[in-house]
Amino acid sequence: RTYIPVMSGENKLSWQVKDLIPNCEYYFRVKAVNKIGGGDYIELRNPIIAEDPKQPPDPPVDLEVHNPTSKSVTLTWKPPLFDGGSKIMGYIIEKLAKGKERWERCNDYLVPLLTYPVKGLEEGKEYQFRVRAENAAGISEPSRITPFVKAVDPIEAPKVFLAANLQSGLEVKRGDEIILEAHISGSPYPSITWLRNDEIVRPEDIKKRITTPKKKGESVLSIRDSIRADHGTFTIKVENDHGVAKASCEVNVLDIPGPPVNFVFEDIRKNSVICKWEPPLDDGGSEILNYVLEKKDNTKAEMGWVTVSSTLRHCKFHVTKLIEEKEYLFRVFAENKVGAGPPCVSKPMTAKDPFSPPDAPNKPDVEDVTSNSMLVKWNEPKDNGSPIIGYWIEKREINSTHWARVNRNLVNALEVKVEGLLEGLTYIFRVCAENAAGPGKFSPPSDPKTAQDPIMPPGPPIPRVADTSATSIELEWEPPVYNGGGDITGYHVYKQLMGVKEWSRCTEKPIKVRQYTVTEVREGADYKLRVTALNAAGEGPPGETAPTTVAEPKEPPTVELDVSVKAGIQIMAGQTIKIPAIVTGRPTPTIAWTVEDGELDKDRVVIENVGTKSELTIKNALRKDHGRYVITATNSSGSKSAGTRVEVFDRPSPPRNLTVSDIKAESCYLTWDAPLDNGGSEITHYIIEKRDASKKKSEAPVTKPSVKGLQHNVLRLIEGVEYQFRVMAENLAGIGPPSEPSDPALAADPIFVPGPPSCPEVKDKTKSSVALAWKPPQKDGGSPIKGYIVEMQDEGSTEWKKVNEGDKLFPTCECVIPNL
């Protein structure tokens, strides 16, 4: 026996063991454990079999009585909810006649099924029934008792049901047997009649095809050697004294389809024809899947039929590639899933057009000429029997001999806008019409037209009064929205004193600038002003101002910064600082720009004042350009200021005081100080670079850009290589310039003096020499031992003397001292 732990360390006196294998035998043992250790086991003497305990089953459930007659009933029930831990061997059925006190057993042997026909009942008596289940442990309590059931034959109206495979109809091929099966019930048993399309089916009417009766409760109609005419609705009618019932089945006998009908021709042409037909009157009981169309040269008897198409889904097909003036016959077959039926043959047909190409249109007209387009119009010509489907337009430069097609596709209109013309060239156009017979002749060419824009007088300018004084009116205007197709050559200005009808022109000659000072006006009077534009076509309509009073206005200054800069400006170094503002006031204020806590760099700051607009611009902004910029407007009515904060972000300055320490063969430790200027943005990290001091070019960074602090331990150096390092700081603006390179640092472990060798031993001696040997020191100080120095002392002396000759070292751990 091999024991397996199932519980350990639990302070309990019982334990449920799970995951046992059914019907296997198991031994168990238990021991107690304290701080000292475990005691002896106590073990079961006999093994335990892993099986559920057995007991009699629960009673059966859902006992029901079915189909009572004068001699019998049928009982059904469901198994017990719990089988008692043992398989149900069978059931015991008991009955109790009304008025009796003792239950009688109905079955001699256990019933293994969940149904049982109880027979031998006395007609007219009433009975109750119950069922018990039995397993290896015993017999269950009885089920619930049924209500009293009387042993009498039922009175039942007739019922009839077709077999399940006939519920959605029956489909057979011609020659196959038609078998219709029905299930019948009713008491008394009903009479049976089969009908086809509401007519009684008589075996003698269908020759070899006969009706076959079956056992009671079933009826079968069988028709051998079926033909297409046998399809229809078959009905079985059953009837007794209590009613009539019917059931029907659609029977389809599949056969090849009949021939298509009504073959006609449409749109006969010299090279093509449209063939049309109608589906067969009889589709053979199956959907028409396909039509096969064939043609034949009717002028040559020896020529056979040629397939035009064998995959037609519709009753129409456009046949092409016919030979003009040749006579043809066509025929078409219908196909269903059984096969192809007989053909429908057409009448003879001769391939020829019933019409001719259209006449030529009249000479086209050309309108709406511009520098790159013209509108070409024409009249519809005679179509000669076939509707015109479109037009082809061609163009030719007047000095060329080549006509070029204008449209890639037929134009279904009587005009077309021809674009893509070359300015200054002269063009003519011609048109031809096309119908089903093809394109006709071209029209005569149009009159020549040169591609150039027409010039009209310009539209009205848009004037506004910019300013007034006691003796003048300052007028400005925007150019016309429409220049008439030609360049604006100048403007005229007119004035009108309110209350006077006449307008007087202020300008002797057209002026090209879009501003004018109107003089010779009376202070306090109201005037209207007009501006007209001129081009090569002449003077256009005027643009007019509202009435304006001649007076010297006084308004305190207002300063409004552009909404894009009110909340402040944040830019990167090298970008352009632009601070736009609107300044108003009468008289026109003087404008001054300043920067708080500093002075403007006059060599780099550009201030532009145009009308009410004032803008300060600094290109290639530097870090030092940050600060609060203020614009101040002043006139005789007061002063007004507005300001905004400018932040210029730049890369940080170089880190400082880079120091290398704790140098080892494969690593060293770097420390540095933060840059004096972080560029206006927090330092995100530092990048460290190294290089071989014997080379000029730096290697790749020794760290990923993630050094946050001001120190870093550099690893993976190559021993014996002399390195220099530098550090760069990075912020949101980018990587700043590097620090000053560090002093060269040799990648080597630090060297210390070696430890002492072992005490020398005398290995040999003569009267004038001695041989010594010793062991090397335990620590070499981080560097290989180059050699050894040996000293000696005369007995009685306190002075040690060097044995080595000059600066020579003993290379090994032994030596011979001569001349003693």
Side-chain angles (χ1 to χ4, degrees):
R1 304 175 199 161
T2 301
Y3 281 92
I4 300 172
V6 295
M7 182 270 282
S8 176
E10 298 288 343
N11 187 14
K12 295 183 179 181
L13 298 177
S14 64
W15 190 258
Q16 182 181 11
V17 181
K18 299 181 180 180
D19 299 327
L20 300 181
I21 300 173
N23 300 320
C24 284
E25 292 185 350
Y26 289 91
Y27 284 91
F28 295 93
R29 65 182 184 182
V30 182
K31 72 176 179 180
V33 180
N34 61 13
K35 293 181 180 180
I36 305 302
D40 294 332
Y41 280 102
I42 181 173
E43 183 176 351
L44 291 176
R45 291 183 178 181
N46 299 314
I48 300 297
I49 299 176
E51 62 179 357
D52 293 331
K54 295 184 177 68
Q55 63 186 57
D58 289 351
V61 296
D62 296 343
L63 175 61
E64 294 181 356
V65 181
H66 305 276
N67 304 325
T69 70
S70 60
K71 299 293 183 182
S72 66
V73 296
T74 300
L75 301 179
T76 62
W77 60 91
K78 292 181 181 178
L81 298 177
F82 176 55
D83 63 3
S86 178
K87 181 180 178 181
I88 301 295
M89 297 186 294
Y91 297 90
I92 299 169
I93 295 88
E94 297 174 330
K95 66 182 178 181
L96 176 66
K98 192 170 185 180
K100 300 284 186 178
E101 295 181 357
R102 184 178 177 183
W103 287 87
E104 298 180 21
R105 180 164 173 164
C106 301
N107 54 322
D108 297 328
Y109 304 100
L110 288 176
V111 175
L113 305 177
L114 298 175
T115 181
Y116 182 74
V118 180
K119 299 180 181 179
L121 304 181
E122 293 184 31
E123 185 173 2
K125 280 194 175 183
E126 295 184 26
Y127 294 89
Q128 285 183 300
F129 301 91
R130 68 184 185 184
V131 183
R132 298 173 185 264
E134 184 175 343
N135 65 6
I139 300 172
S140 73
E141 292 294 319
S143 68
R144 288 186 177 181
I145 301 171
T146 67
F148 280 104
V149 178
K150 196 170 186 178
V152 293
D153 287 327
I155 297 174
E156 181 183 359
K159 296 180 182 178
V160 60
F161 300 97
L162 292 174
N165 65 319
L166 304 176
Q167 296 298 320
S168 59
L170 177 65
E171 187 174 83
V172 299
K173 289 186 178 180
R174 176 179 177 175
D176 291 347
E177 185 176 11
I178 300 173
I179 299 177
L180 304 177
E181 182 178 351
H183 302 280
I184 303 158
S185 64
S187 182
Y189 193 74
S191 62
I192 302 170
T193 305
W194 283 94
L195 303 98
R196 174 182 172 274
N197 295 335
D198 296 330
E199 294 183 1
I200 296 176
V201 178
R202 305 180 188 279
E204 59 270 16
D205 294 341
I206 50 179
K207 299 180 181 178
K208 295 181 181 181
R209 293 162 279 154
I210 59 172
T211 302
T212 303
K214 274 204 168 185
K215 62 185 179 180
K216 188 175 182 180
E218 293 183 5
S219 179
V220 176
L221 174 66
S222 175
I223 303 176
R224 297 194 301 270
D225 303 322
S226 63
I227 59 176
R228 173 67 182 146
D230 289 329
H231 75 280
T233 303
F234 284 78
T235 304
I236 181 172
K237 183 174 75 171
V238 295
E239 185 175 2
N240 66 7
D241 295 338
H242 304 290
V244 178
K246 294 182 180 180
S248 297
C249 174
E250 292 291 334
V251 176
N252 187 19
V253 180
L254 298 177
D255 200 353
I256 59 174
V261 295
N262 299 331
F263 195 112
V264 295
F265 297 108
E266 289 183 355
D267 199 16
I268 300 174
R269 304 291 182 86
K270 63 182 179 182
N271 300 120
S272 66
V273 67
I274 296 177
C275 297
K276 288 184 66 177
W277 58 91
E278 295 179 5
L281 299 178
D282 182 8
D283 62 4
S286 174
E287 177 188 5
I288 300 298
L289 301 176
N290 188 47
Y291 292 96
V292 179
L293 181 63
E294 297 179 342
K295 69 179 179 181
K296 181 179 183 300
D297 185 347
N298 201 33
T299 60
K300 297 180 180 179
E302 69 276 8
M303 296 295 290
W305 290 94
V306 177
T307 300
V308 175
S309 177
S310 60
T311 57
L312 299 178
R313 294 285 296 170
H314 304 288
C315 297
K316 183 177 181 180
F317 187 70
H318 187 200
V319 182
T320 59
K321 299 181 181 180
L322 300 181
I323 300 174
E324 190 174 2
E325 298 298 334
K326 181 167 286 190
E327 187 176 80
Y328 291 91
L329 279 178
F330 291 87
R331 68 181 184 183
V332 63
F333 304 84
E335 289 185 344
N336 62 10
K337 65 182 182 181
V338 177
C344 174
V345 182
S346 73
K347 295 179 180 179
M349 186 280 298
T350 302
K352 63 180 180 179
D353 286 336
F355 44 76
S356 60
D359 291 347
N362 295 333
K363 182 172 75 171
D365 295 326
V366 180
E367 301 175 359
D368 298 342
V369 178
T370 71
S371 61
N372 61 3
S373 67
M374 298 180 189
L375 182 64
V376 182
K377 295 183 175 181
W378 58 90
N379 294 323
E380 183 177 2
K382 185 179 178 182
D383 62 12
N384 292 330
S386 175
I388 292 173
I389 58 177
Y391 297 88
W392 297 106
I393 300 92
E394 292 185 345
K395 67 181 180 182
R396 179 166 71 86
E397 204 278 320
I398 196 67
N399 296 320
S400 172
T401 59
H402 172 68
W403 287 93
R405 179 69 60 86
V406 170
N407 52 318
R408 293 185 178 179
N409 300 311
L410 282 168
V411 172
N412 189 18
L414 295 176
E415 64 180 38
V416 67
K417 186 176 182 181
V418 182
E419 298 180 327
L421 304 179
L422 298 178
E423 187 173 5
L425 296 184
T426 302
Y427 294 89
I428 57 176
F429 300 89
R430 66 181 186 181
V431 183
C432 78
E434 182 175 336
N435 63 8
K441 294 182 179 180
F442 275 98
S443 68
S446 66
D447 294 331
K449 295 285 183 178
T450 302
Q452 59 186 14
D453 288 331
I455 298 178
M456 303 292 289
I462 306 171
R464 67 180 180 87
V465 175
D467 201 1
T468 64
S469 69
T471 58
S472 64
I473 302 174
E474 295 289 338
L475 185 65
E476 297 177 350
W477 58 89
E478 296 295 329
V481 176
Y482 172 62
N483 67 2
D487 294 335
I488 302 296
T489 58
Y491 299 91
H492 278 304
V493 179
Y494 298 83
K495 67 181 178 180
Q496 180 192 50
L497 178 63
M498 295 302 295
V500 178
K501 293 183 179 181
E502 291 78 14
W503 288 83
S504 60
R505 196 168 75 182
C506 304
T507 50
E508 293 183 8
K509 296 180 180 180
I511 60 174
K512 294 189 176 182
V513 294
R514 287 185 282 109
Q515 61 183 22
Y516 185 76
T517 302
V518 179
T519 58
E520 299 181 4
V521 291
R522 296 201 308 266
E523 185 175 5
D526 292 335
Y527 287 86
K528 280 186 179 181
L529 303 178
R530 281 181 175 178
V531 182
T532 59
L534 294 86
N535 64 9
E539 186 176 5
E544 189 173 308
T545 68
T548 302
T549 303
V550 179
E552 187 72 49
K554 292 184 179 180
E555 299 174 2
T558 63
V559 179
E560 186 72 20
L561 291 176
D562 190 84
V563 67
S564 63
V565 299
K566 277 187 176 181
I569 300 174
Q570 294 183 340
I571 64 170
M572 305 300 292
Q575 295 179 334
T576 299
I577 300 173
K578 280 192 176 183
I579 309 177
I582 301 295
V583 179
T584 61
R586 305 299 299 272
T588 303
T590 58
I591 299 173
W593 286 87
T594 59
V595 60
E596 294 181 357
D597 302 327
E599 294 185 2
L600 295 177
D601 189 344
K602 296 182 180 179
D603 295 333
R604 298 173 49 250
V605 175
V606 176
I607 297 174
E608 186 176 9
N609 297 320
V610 178
T612 61
K613 296 180 181 178
S614 180
E615 185 174 75
L616 180 143
T617 304
I618 304 176
K619 294 185 178 179
N620 297 319
L622 303 177
R623 176 84 176 104
K624 67 178 183 178
D625 292 327
H626 71 279
R628 177 176 170 79
Y629 285 76
V630 179
I631 178 173
T632 303
T634 306
N635 67 8
S636 57
S637 299
S639 179
K640 187 70 173 178
S641 298
T644 187
R645 183 76 187 176
V646 176
E647 295 290 347
V648 180
F649 299 109
D650 199 356
R651 299 178 300 164
S653 62
R656 302 168 294 128
N657 303 329
L658 176 62
T659 304
V660 185
S661 62
D662 195 15
I663 304 170
K664 297 180 181 179
E666 295 182 351
S667 66
C668 67
Y669 195 75
L670 303 182
T671 59
W672 59 89
D673 293 336
L676 291 174
D677 182 7
N678 66 1
S681 173
E682 182 181 355
I683 302 295
T684 58
H685 53 264
Y686 293 90
I687 298 173
I688 305 169
E689 292 184 337
K690 68 180 180 182
R691 73 167 183 174
D692 188 334
S694 63
K695 301 178 182 178
K696 292 183 178 181
K697 187 175 180 181
S698 295
E699 300 177 15
V702 301
T703 67
K704 293 181 179 178
S706 59
V707 177
K708 301 282 187 182
L710 299 176
Q711 64 276 331
H712 185 67
N713 191 26
V714 181
L715 305 175
R716 299 178 183 174
L717 300 180
I718 300 174
E719 185 175 4
V721 175
E722 192 173 40
Y723 289 95
Q724 279 187 297
F725 299 91
R726 66 182 187 182
V727 183
M728 293 170 287
E730 183 171 356
N731 63 8
L732 295 177
I735 301 173
S739 66
E740 289 293 327
S742 68
D743 294 332
L746 181 65
D749 290 329
I751 300 175
F752 304 97
V753 297
S758 66
C759 182
E761 297 180 5
V762 177
K763 294 296 184 182
D764 194 12
K765 59 183 178 178
T766 65
K767 63 180 181 179
S768 59
S769 65
V770 63
L772 302 177
W774 59 91
K775 294 181 180 179
Q778 292 184 353
K779 296 182 179 180
D780 63 3
S783 177
I785 301 298
K786 294 181 180 179
Y788 298 90
I789 299 172
V790 180
E791 295 179 340
M792 67 181 181
Q793 184 185 67
D794 293 335
E795 186 176 0
S797 173
T798 60
E799 182 180 354
W800 287 90
K801 295 186 293 183
K802 187 176 179 181
V803 175
N804 304 61
E805 296 180 3
D807 294 332
K808 291 183 178 180
L809 300 175
F810 291 112
T812 62
C813 293
E814 59 183 10
C815 70
V816 176
I817 302 176
N819 304 321
L820 297 179

